Amino acid sequence: MKRPRESAELFILAAGVTFAVACSGPGKYVWVDDYAESGQVEKPYVIVPGDILQVRVFNQDQLSTRARVRSDGKITLPLLDDVTAIGLTPVELGKQLHEGLRSFVKDPLVTVSVEESGPPSVYVIGEVVKPGGYPLDRASGVLSALVNAGGLTQDASTDRIFVLRQAPSAVRIRFTYEALVRLAGRAPAFRLRPGDIVVVE
């Protein structure tokens, strides 16, 4: 039986592989030196595995609960059993629960808040020694992610290192190992974000 952390990592890695395949192909990437960061627009928080959610149903204490988002992206709630929470904002989940509870409660007023968020992580897959998820700090760049993953394998293409970034729109950003270690161009200053996936081909 897989531990929750392992299952969560497999879930994210599978999503990363799917995203990588979708973004593959000639011309469907941008070199890091040409990558233009879009304006930082504050976006609503999206629920991830490991988050602890407070679900409140007004005047229905028996339906209100505190739940951790499991590695399969779901939470268990009274009457509704397993409900998918991953990928939704708290407001979107509240609306979904409102609809689900209408069969049991007349016009339920549901609020969802994130009581505790899961730790930010990045994922490193492909031709690295130890693929998997790794904690992300504010100063994390691509090279530090590769070091955490044990470095490149002998079969790695040193000029085919990509960061898959899904927000605000899907993009595949290409790096070379030489630029990272020689501090050339914009590669060393590039900062990873939570949910980024580093792929070494």
Side-chain angles (χ1 to χ4, degrees):
M1 181 175 181
K2 294 184 178 68
R3 291 173 294 178
R5 176 181 171 82
E6 292 174 342
S7 297
E9 289 183 359
L10 288 173
F11 178 85
I12 299 295
L13 292 178
V17 170
T18 301
F19 180 61
V21 171
C23 292
S24 64
K28 294 191 177 180
Y29 62 82
V30 58
W31 283 102
V32 62
D33 287 338
D34 299 324
Y35 176 64
E37 294 271 5
S38 58
Q40 291 294 322
V41 178
E42 191 67 27
K43 293 185 175 294
Y45 181 81
V46 174
I47 296 167
V48 298
D51 284 354
I52 297 177
L53 306 181
Q54 185 72 51
V55 180
R56 293 185 177 90
V57 184
F58 185 68
N59 279 341
Q60 299 288 335
D61 290 344
Q62 72 276 16
L63 298 180
S64 299
T65 190
R66 182 175 180 267
R68 181 182 293 276
V69 182
R70 303 192 306 263
S71 59
D72 62 0
K74 297 181 179 181
I75 56 174
T76 301
L77 298 174
L79 298 181
L80 299 180
D81 296 324
D82 288 348
V83 176
T84 299
I86 189 174
L88 301 175
T89 67
V91 171
E92 289 169 340
L93 178 57
K95 290 179 180 178
Q96 182 174 304
L97 298 180
H98 167 83
E99 292 301 318
L101 288 171
R102 289 177 67 180
S103 301
F104 307 98
V105 180
K106 183 178 179 181
D107 199 21
L109 178 59
V110 183
T111 60
V112 177
S113 59
V114 179
E115 192 171 284
E116 183 180 323
S117 60
S121 301
V122 294
Y123 299 86
V124 187
I125 61 177
E127 295 294 337
V128 291
V129 176
K130 297 183 295 182
Y134 295 92
L136 175 69
D137 62 50
R138 289 187 177 182
S140 288
V142 176
L143 186 59
S144 65
L146 295 176
V147 170
N148 287 340
L152 307 184
T153 67
Q154 291 183 342
D155 296 326
S157 298
T158 57
D159 66 341
R160 295 187 63 81
I161 300 169
F162 298 90
V163 170
L164 310 183
R165 178 164 288 176
Q166 301 187 48
S169 58
V171 62
R172 192 166 172 246
I173 308 163
R174 187 172 177 178
F175 298 75
T176 67
Y177 188 73
E178 183 177 10
L180 291 167
V181 297
R182 292 184 180 274
L183 306 180
R186 297 174 57 190
F190 182 90
R191 291 292 168 259
L192 295 171
R193 297 179 187 168
D196 281 352
I197 302 169
V198 180
V199 181
V200 180
E201 295 186 350

